[in-house]
Amino acid sequence: MKEYDFIAIGGGSGGFNAARVARGFSDNVAVIDGARQLGGLCILRGCMPSKTLIYSAEVLHLAQNARAFGLNIPSAKVDMPALHQRKLEIIKEFTDYRVESMTSGKYDLYRNQARFIGPNTIELDDGVQLRGKKFILATGSKIAKPPIPGLDDDGIWTSDDVLELDFLPESVIVLGGGVVACELAQFLNRVGSQVTQIQRSPHILKDQAPDVSEVVETAFRDEGVSLFTDTQLERIEKTDTGYSVTFKLQGESKTVFAQHLVNALGRYPATRGLGLDAAGVDLKPNGQIATNEHQQTSNPDIYAAGDCAGPYEIVHTAVLQGEYAARHAFGKPGPGPLNYDHMLDVVFTDPQVARVGLTEKALKERDIDFIAADYPFDDHGKSILMEAKYGFVRVFAEKPSGRILGAEIVSKDGGELIHALAVAVSNNLTAADLLKTHWYHPTLAEIISYPLEDIVDEL
């Protein structure tokens, strides 16, 4: 039985980066990844392919609306085979780099599934047993299938299927209103599919502030998405021409039809079959692996990071968690533990939704005295000339110090703009501190200075 100083189970963003950092402290590191293809969810079936397609759809959308910019572009349409091929070529660059890193000889790579048979021992699916001084679990998540009649039909698409499309579907129903559902619904609509989106909660992007979600809902409906919210899904049926979905809307039963159906109703932690009981690893009520601030599980020799652990299923968070876990496992200094009060997240719809730090809800729950100020993009020079008038920027500051505690931006390129405020949140800067900065005119970013000025004036 071979023993390692550090074993990463899962070679995605969390596991690979943990192994990479661990390799700096030991030459006795193993990575176990039994996936059909190396690379991890982000590279293969998540961030990179989806954002590649979304950006192409944005270019198409601008071309199709050229007259708003005083341009005459007679025709613009998608070439799905070419779009698919471009995505494959781009993803191959990322995948090749990751595979090259994992197979470089720095790590012992096992292309197997693993399960614990003891607190520090795992067995691979080929019968090989390995012992580790320290482990990290970074097994990610899988697509969920809620108990809705008809949802188990084999022909129903998932996000994986949408990202592999090389043809244009005539019509699609998207079930769900989370990040994945919204990004894919808008993508499909922009490339030319007739899209119906059905969300169970009162708003899409239910974790965002209601007025943030409402901006995206307005944009979707303006672009032609048939969006239904506050529904109760009843059943799904296969038809001669595709699928029907029946749901309750304002107390009445409604049925919609489409050629294809996408299940985007969420994901669940991929922890089944890991033998966590044998390892003494506890789960949270939601199925994620329970960890302390150091990413340690209830077995202190086993760490966890990424989607399987939470509390946020975001790639950069998984990377930071994995890196910190490896340093902690070897007793090495460095940044950490993670401060989730500085959390940053982005939704790549158009307008984008970006958020950093504490929300208004969290501030009120903690009884923090704060001031909020916002400013709309439809009254801002650069966004007006860009025909990017949806949304607003909102900043939360502590009273009486003016320290920036959080911010929300829903706008064109909001994911880029939010980083100015992320720097402020992470470094305890005040609104007055940020106003010392030169905010260049005309830029989208200068709009951030307007609520900052209101905060300083009021304080």
Side-chain angles (χ1 to χ4, degrees):
M1 183 184 298
K2 189 164 184 179
E3 181 173 273
Y4 290 93
D5 292 334
F6 192 88
I7 297 177
I9 301 178
S13 298
F16 170 74
N17 284 286
R20 177 183 56 78
V21 172
R23 187 61 179 76
F25 309 131
S26 169
D27 59 3
N28 191 24
V29 176
V31 177
I32 300 169
D33 193 321
R36 179 177 56 85
Q37 186 179 4
L38 290 175
L41 177 64
C42 170
I43 293 176
L44 297 174
R45 299 180 303 281
C47 309
M48 303 316 297
S50 66
K51 278 51 182 180
T52 300
L53 299 178
I54 287 168
Y55 186 75
S56 291
E58 180 180 351
V59 174
L60 176 62
H61 178 72
L62 290 171
Q64 291 175 338
N65 290 274
R67 291 197 177 279
F69 300 94
L71 305 175
N72 182 14
I73 300 177
S75 176
K77 63 181 181 178
V78 71
D79 181 340
M80 287 298 286
L83 179 62
H84 177 62
Q85 185 59 37
R86 177 177 186 266
K87 184 215 69 173
L88 292 177
E89 292 171 357
I90 289 175
I91 298 312
K92 187 176 184 301
E93 294 181 29
F94 298 111
T95 305
D96 287 351
Y97 180 77
R98 174 66 60 83
V99 172
E100 181 182 349
S101 299
M102 294 178 72
T103 59
S104 62
K106 292 182 178 180
Y107 321 94
D108 284 357
L109 176 63
Y110 294 87
R111 301 290 278 113
N112 302 90
Q113 302 295 330
R115 67 180 181 91
F116 283 92
I117 57 174
N120 290 83
T121 306
I122 57 173
E123 183 175 82
L124 307 184
D125 54 16
D126 60 2
V128 171
Q129 294 184 2
L130 304 174
R131 182 176 290 117
K133 294 180 181 177
K134 303 290 182 181
F135 293 84
I136 188 165
L137 299 173
T139 49
S141 60
K142 295 185 177 182
I143 293 167
K145 287 187 178 181
I148 299 168
L151 189 59
D152 56 354
D153 184 88
D154 291 338
I156 293 175
W157 289 348
T158 67
S159 57
D160 294 355
D161 299 301
V162 176
L163 297 178
E164 290 297 324
L165 286 178
D166 59 2
F167 70 94
L168 179 63
E170 178 183 333
S171 58
V172 183
I173 298 170
V174 177
L175 300 181
V179 175
V180 173
C182 288
E183 291 181 354
L184 294 185
Q186 189 176 40
F187 161 72
L188 289 166
N189 181 70
R190 284 186 163 186
V191 295
S193 297
Q194 180 183 337
V195 175
T196 302
Q197 185 177 4
I198 305 172
Q199 162 71 329
R200 293 171 291 183
S201 299
H203 291 287
I204 59 173
L205 304 174
K206 64 179 181 180
D207 294 332
Q208 302 289 336
D211 57 350
V212 169
S213 298
E214 287 167 0
V215 172
V216 182
E217 289 168 358
T218 298
F220 276 24
R221 291 182 172 120
D222 287 350
E223 290 187 15
V225 175
S226 296
L227 175 61
F228 299 94
T229 59
D230 202 9
T231 68
Q232 183 180 346
L233 291 173
E234 294 184 324
R235 66 184 179 275
I236 297 162
E237 294 181 346
K238 187 81 172 69
T239 69
D240 293 339
T241 57
Y243 291 91
S244 69
V245 178
T246 301
F247 56 95
K248 282 281 184 62
L249 179 67
Q250 297 178 347
E252 296 185 3
S253 186
K254 183 177 180 63
T255 301
V256 293
F257 301 86
Q259 189 180 38
H260 301 281
L261 176 67
V262 179
N263 168 20
L265 292 168
R267 303 180 69 90
Y268 69 90
T271 59
R272 298 172 187 173
L274 288 176
L276 298 183
D277 288 343
V281 173
D282 295 336
L283 298 178
K284 294 184 283 190
N286 66 358
Q288 290 178 326
I289 298 170
T291 62
N292 64 14
E293 63 177 356
H294 304 302
Q295 304 303 134
Q296 288 172 299
T297 69
S298 47
N299 178 339
D301 292 332
I302 301 175
Y303 295 74
D307 287 9
C308 68
Y312 299 99
E313 294 77 53
I314 300 175
V315 170
H316 83 268
T317 306
V319 173
L320 294 174
Q321 289 174 334
E323 292 174 343
Y324 174 63
R327 289 194 298 269
H328 189 270
F330 285 91
K332 302 296 182 179
L338 274 68
N339 185 345
Y340 294 109
D341 285 354
H342 297 169
M343 192 63 212
L344 175 69
D345 68 269
V346 179
V347 183
F348 288 88
T349 50
D350 183 11
Q352 293 178 2
V353 176
R355 180 174 62 184
V356 67
L358 298 177
T359 63
E360 182 173 4
K361 179 181 177 182
L363 290 166
K364 290 179 177 178
E365 288 174 348
R366 299 189 191 186
D367 199 26
I368 296 174
D369 196 11
F370 70 95
I371 180 175
D374 55 56
Y375 200 87
F377 277 88
D378 64 3
D379 188 36
H380 180 54
K382 185 63 181 290
S383 55
I384 290 173
L385 67 88
M386 293 174 68
E387 293 292 338
K389 303 173 189 176
Y390 292 108
F392 56 85
V393 56
R394 178 184 291 140
V395 180
F396 303 108
E398 180 184 52
K399 283 185 174 181
S401 68
R403 182 167 62 99
I404 305 301
L405 300 176
E408 298 163 338
I409 300 178
V410 52
S411 75
K412 174 78 170 175
D413 295 333
E416 312 297 331
L417 302 178
I418 196 67
H419 287 81
L421 291 162
V423 170
V425 169
S426 297
N427 291 277
N428 296 314
L429 301 180
T430 67
D433 290 332
L434 288 185
L435 285 177
K436 297 174 185 176
T437 298
H438 292 232
W439 297 90
Y440 200 87
H441 175 78
T443 62
L444 287 178
E446 69 173 321
I447 196 175
I448 295 173
S449 66
Y450 305 160
L452 294 176
E453 290 172 349
D454 290 343
I455 289 169
V456 170
D457 289 343
E458 185 165 338
L459 291 175

